[in-house]
Amino acid sequence: MATQPEKARYLQHLARVRASYDAAMDVAGADTAVVFSGALRYAFRDDHAYPFQVNAHFAWWLPVTDVPDSYVIYRAGETPILVYCLPDDFWHLPPAKPDPYWADAFDVRIVSQPEDARSHMPPQSRAPIFIGEAQTKAQALGLERLNPRAALHYLDNARTAKTDYELDRMREASHIAARAHTAAAEAFAAGDNSEYAIHQAYLSAIDYIDADLPYPSIVGLNEHGAVLHYQARDRKAPEVSRSFLIDAGAQSAGYASDITRTYSAEDGLFADLIAGMDELQQAVCGQVVAGADYRELHVDTHARLAQLLTDSRVGKGSAEALIESGITRAILPHGLGHYLGLQVHDVGGHIADDKGTPTERPDSDPALRLTRPLSDNEVVTIEPGLYIIDSLLDAVRNSEHKDLLDWNAIEALRPFGGIRIEDNVRINGDTPENLTRNAFARL
Ligand code: GLY
Ligand code: MN
Ligand code: MN
């Protein structure tokens, strides 16, 4: 699916992964780490497996996301061993053979049964650690030190800053998703497509099936745009398609993009608010600079949203009053965004350092996923929103603050659902790289 990165970039990346493991093993007092790709999970009393989801720690080592029962066994300073499970199983298509572009960096040992991995453990390893999810003791190769916190904190922190290889993958993931978003926007613009049909247009534009997506897409027409994690796909088109919110990504070697766009079929207040939110979102993207504290960007977003509500006359009274009364948080109840990488909500957002010192979460926004200052080569999402969510707005309507909103405007907006605009942005000194806008521009 993806163009292969230059081998040199991958090798540079691998050197960084090895160095991170050297240090993580050091803090854990180990000389060997075993990183498991993961095992299939089966439905209760059934022989059907859920879609395989690779352990991100495994995918950090090598661009393999679809091979269960495999292990990287790394002993400090030595060539990592890759135990690669190619089952002797005529019922299923076996995984692809290891690709020399990355496999050359490993001592590859093909096994046909998961339990054979154990014989590849280096003898006399000192206090080896296991990183991953073992459903059974055998999957942990008999190791007892599973996921020690000190090592995980070190690795989580190390994974926040991306290597050149990883940034290439993430640019690619944005590029693939931008193509699919364009197809989805066209399917909406046709006017008579259902959510299901638009979703299919997204997938087929990039030859995806659902299981290829980094997370289940959110594809909502009209009021459904206000359901934050809307998971249905109406098979029937609505009578009138007024608005469309799509939050959907793509991936390259396991690295995700996470992109949201909102469209209006008609001019008017909702379309004006989309334009206002786009301007707001771009202003916040411009603040994604090294040293900026993401908590402050989140708070600043509420200030900008309050101003937009006032300027558009949805809000009455001052911008400050809209914030202090909690109204901006009823209209935008989620966080500004999160780290992005091998995991869509990537790790490390709540620790200040490689020791795992927790960062403080703002009292006003305890669910914010990213609560630390930003550093070069981290990738974050910036995803402000504006929604008409009845349960939250009813609480405002029934409160002493009810006069701070123009309820006629809220009524007019309700059939349009909501707005979210989400880009993926790399921290690069004081000139942020917007992977998503660049990807759309390159189409
Ligand atoms: N698509 C999940 C998120 O935006 O966080
Ligand atoms: Mn998203
Ligand atoms: Mn997101």
Side-chain angles (χ1 to χ4, degrees), residues 191-204:
D192 56 356
N193 279 309
S194 66
E195 292 164 350
Y196 174 81
I198 297 173
H199 176 62
Q200 295 303 323
Y202 184 97
L203 294 175
S204 87

PDB file of all heavy atoms in Angstrom, residues 191-204:
ATOM      1  N   GLY A 191     -25.438  14.452  -3.005  1.00  0.00           N
ATOM      2  CA  GLY A 191     -26.723  14.827  -2.417  1.00  0.00           C
ATOM      3  C   GLY A 191     -27.621  13.682  -2.019  1.00  0.00           C
ATOM      4  O   GLY A 191     -28.459  13.838  -1.135  1.00  0.00           O
ATOM      5  N   ASP A 192     -27.475  12.521  -2.643  1.00  0.00           N
ATOM      6  CA  ASP A 192     -28.440  11.460  -2.356  1.00  0.00           C
ATOM      7  C   ASP A 192     -27.777  10.179  -1.860  1.00  0.00           C
ATOM      8  O   ASP A 192     -28.355   9.100  -1.948  1.00  0.00           O
ATOM      9  CB  ASP A 192     -29.275  11.162  -3.612  1.00  0.00           C
ATOM     10  CG  ASP A 192     -28.407  10.810  -4.806  1.00  0.00           C
ATOM     11  OD1 ASP A 192     -27.157  10.868  -4.665  1.00  0.00           O
ATOM     12  OD2 ASP A 192     -28.949  10.470  -5.866  1.00  0.00           O
ATOM     13  N   ASN A 193     -26.586  10.297  -1.342  1.00  0.00           N
ATOM     14  CA  ASN A 193     -25.903   9.102  -0.830  1.00  0.00           C
ATOM     15  C   ASN A 193     -26.152   8.912   0.663  1.00  0.00           C
ATOM     16  O   ASN A 193     -26.188   9.885   1.429  1.00  0.00           O
ATOM     17  CB  ASN A 193     -24.396   9.197  -1.082  1.00  0.00           C
ATOM     18  CG  ASN A 193     -24.045   8.796  -2.504  1.00  0.00           C
ATOM     19  OD1 ASN A 193     -24.452   7.730  -2.970  1.00  0.00           O
ATOM     20  ND2 ASN A 193     -23.319   9.659  -3.200  1.00  0.00           N
ATOM     21  N   SER A 194     -26.285   7.678   1.073  1.00  0.00           N
ATOM     22  CA  SER A 194     -26.434   7.362   2.496  1.00  0.00           C
ATOM     23  C   SER A 194     -25.053   7.419   3.160  1.00  0.00           C
ATOM     24  O   SER A 194     -24.014   7.451   2.484  1.00  0.00           O
ATOM     25  CB  SER A 194     -27.011   5.961   2.654  1.00  0.00           C
ATOM     26  OG  SER A 194     -26.076   5.004   2.166  1.00  0.00           O
ATOM     27  N   GLU A 195     -25.098   7.383   4.501  1.00  0.00           N
ATOM     28  CA  GLU A 195     -23.831   7.305   5.233  1.00  0.00           C
ATOM     29  C   GLU A 195     -23.060   6.055   4.820  1.00  0.00           C
ATOM     30  O   GLU A 195     -21.839   6.082   4.647  1.00  0.00           O
ATOM     31  CB  GLU A 195     -24.108   7.274   6.745  1.00  0.00           C
ATOM     32  CG  GLU A 195     -24.671   8.589   7.259  1.00  0.00           C
ATOM     33  CD  GLU A 195     -25.314   8.467   8.628  1.00  0.00           C
ATOM     34  OE1 GLU A 195     -25.494   7.322   9.122  1.00  0.00           O
ATOM     35  OE2 GLU A 195     -25.661   9.514   9.207  1.00  0.00           O
ATOM     36  N   TYR A 196     -23.783   4.969   4.669  1.00  0.00           N
ATOM     37  CA  TYR A 196     -23.146   3.714   4.259  1.00  0.00           C
ATOM     38  C   TYR A 196     -22.455   3.891   2.901  1.00  0.00           C
ATOM     39  O   TYR A 196     -21.293   3.491   2.726  1.00  0.00           O
ATOM     40  CB  TYR A 196     -24.206   2.611   4.185  1.00  0.00           C
ATOM     41  CG  TYR A 196     -23.694   1.311   3.639  1.00  0.00           C
ATOM     42  CD1 TYR A 196     -23.004   0.428   4.456  1.00  0.00           C
ATOM     43  CD2 TYR A 196     -23.875   0.971   2.298  1.00  0.00           C
ATOM     44  CE1 TYR A 196     -22.510  -0.769   3.955  1.00  0.00           C
ATOM     45  CE2 TYR A 196     -23.382  -0.216   1.788  1.00  0.00           C
ATOM     46  CZ  TYR A 196     -22.698  -1.081   2.619  1.00  0.00           C
ATOM     47  OH  TYR A 196     -22.206  -2.250   2.113  1.00  0.00           O
ATOM     48  N   ALA A 197     -23.148   4.512   1.958  1.00  0.00           N
ATOM     49  CA  ALA A 197     -22.578   4.679   0.612  1.00  0.00           C
ATOM     50  C   ALA A 197     -21.358   5.606   0.651  1.00  0.00           C
ATOM     51  O   ALA A 197     -20.359   5.373  -0.043  1.00  0.00           O
ATOM     52  CB  ALA A 197     -23.636   5.222  -0.345  1.00  0.00           C
ATOM     53  N   ILE A 198     -21.429   6.625   1.478  1.00  0.00           N
ATOM     54  CA  ILE A 198     -20.285   7.547   1.577  1.00  0.00           C
ATOM     55  C   ILE A 198     -19.083   6.814   2.194  1.00  0.00           C
ATOM     56  O   ILE A 198     -17.941   6.955   1.755  1.00  0.00           O
ATOM     57  CB  ILE A 198     -20.656   8.800   2.404  1.00  0.00           C
ATOM     58  CG1 ILE A 198     -21.766   9.586   1.693  1.00  0.00           C
ATOM     59  CG2 ILE A 198     -19.438   9.672   2.630  1.00  0.00           C
ATOM     60  CD1 ILE A 198     -22.331  10.745   2.515  1.00  0.00           C
ATOM     61  N   HIS A 199     -19.376   6.017   3.224  1.00  0.00           N
ATOM     62  CA  HIS A 199     -18.311   5.229   3.851  1.00  0.00           C
ATOM     63  C   HIS A 199     -17.658   4.294   2.832  1.00  0.00           C
ATOM     64  O   HIS A 199     -16.427   4.164   2.777  1.00  0.00           O
ATOM     65  CB  HIS A 199     -18.930   4.440   5.012  1.00  0.00           C
ATOM     66  CG  HIS A 199     -17.988   3.505   5.694  1.00  0.00           C
ATOM     67  ND1 HIS A 199     -16.849   3.935   6.334  1.00  0.00           N
ATOM     68  CD2 HIS A 199     -18.013   2.148   5.845  1.00  0.00           C
ATOM     69  CE1 HIS A 199     -16.215   2.882   6.849  1.00  0.00           C
ATOM     70  NE2 HIS A 199     -16.890   1.793   6.561  1.00  0.00           N
ATOM     71  N   GLN A 200     -18.484   3.660   2.011  1.00  0.00           N
ATOM     72  CA  GLN A 200     -17.933   2.763   0.990  1.00  0.00           C
ATOM     73  C   GLN A 200     -17.096   3.543  -0.026  1.00  0.00           C
ATOM     74  O   GLN A 200     -16.062   3.051  -0.497  1.00  0.00           O
ATOM     75  CB  GLN A 200     -19.053   1.999   0.265  1.00  0.00           C
ATOM     76  CG  GLN A 200     -19.828   1.030   1.153  1.00  0.00           C
ATOM     77  CD  GLN A 200     -18.937  -0.004   1.818  1.00  0.00           C
ATOM     78  OE1 GLN A 200     -17.978  -0.492   1.230  1.00  0.00           O
ATOM     79  NE2 GLN A 200     -19.218  -0.329   3.067  1.00  0.00           N
ATOM     80  N   ALA A 201     -17.528   4.759  -0.352  1.00  0.00           N
ATOM     81  CA  ALA A 201     -16.752   5.583  -1.297  1.00  0.00           C
ATOM     82  C   ALA A 201     -15.377   5.890  -0.704  1.00  0.00           C
ATOM     83  O   ALA A 201     -14.355   5.878  -1.407  1.00  0.00           O
ATOM     84  CB  ALA A 201     -17.508   6.876  -1.613  1.00  0.00           C
ATOM     85  N   TYR A 202     -15.351   6.158   0.608  1.00  0.00           N
ATOM     86  CA  TYR A 202     -14.082   6.429   1.297  1.00  0.00           C
ATOM     87  C   TYR A 202     -13.151   5.226   1.171  1.00  0.00           C
ATOM     88  O   TYR A 202     -11.988   5.345   0.774  1.00  0.00           O
ATOM     89  CB  TYR A 202     -14.363   6.735   2.774  1.00  0.00           C
ATOM     90  CG  TYR A 202     -13.147   7.128   3.578  1.00  0.00           C
ATOM     91  CD1 TYR A 202     -12.843   8.474   3.807  1.00  0.00           C
ATOM     92  CD2 TYR A 202     -12.289   6.169   4.107  1.00  0.00           C
ATOM     93  CE1 TYR A 202     -11.729   8.843   4.541  1.00  0.00           C
ATOM     94  CE2 TYR A 202     -11.168   6.530   4.839  1.00  0.00           C
ATOM     95  CZ  TYR A 202     -10.892   7.867   5.059  1.00  0.00           C
ATOM     96  OH  TYR A 202      -9.778   8.238   5.774  1.00  0.00           O
ATOM     97  N   LEU A 203     -13.697   4.046   1.517  1.00  0.00           N
ATOM     98  CA  LEU A 203     -12.867   2.842   1.512  1.00  0.00           C
ATOM     99  C   LEU A 203     -12.389   2.514   0.104  1.00  0.00           C
ATOM    100  O   LEU A 203     -11.207   2.210  -0.115  1.00  0.00           O
ATOM    101  CB  LEU A 203     -13.665   1.646   2.061  1.00  0.00           C
ATOM    102  CG  LEU A 203     -14.075   1.699   3.534  1.00  0.00           C
ATOM    103  CD1 LEU A 203     -14.956   0.496   3.874  1.00  0.00           C
ATOM    104  CD2 LEU A 203     -12.851   1.732   4.446  1.00  0.00           C
ATOM    105  N   SER A 204     -13.300   2.585  -0.839  1.00  0.00           N
ATOM    106  CA  SER A 204     -12.930   2.079  -2.160  1.00  0.00           C
ATOM    107  C   SER A 204     -11.960   3.031  -2.867  1.00  0.00           C
ATOM    108  O   SER A 204     -11.163   2.592  -3.685  1.00  0.00           O
ATOM    109  CB  SER A 204     -14.166   1.739  -2.983  1.00  0.00           C
ATOM    110  OG  SER A 204     -14.604   2.851  -3.656  1.00  0.00           O
TER     111      SER A 204
END
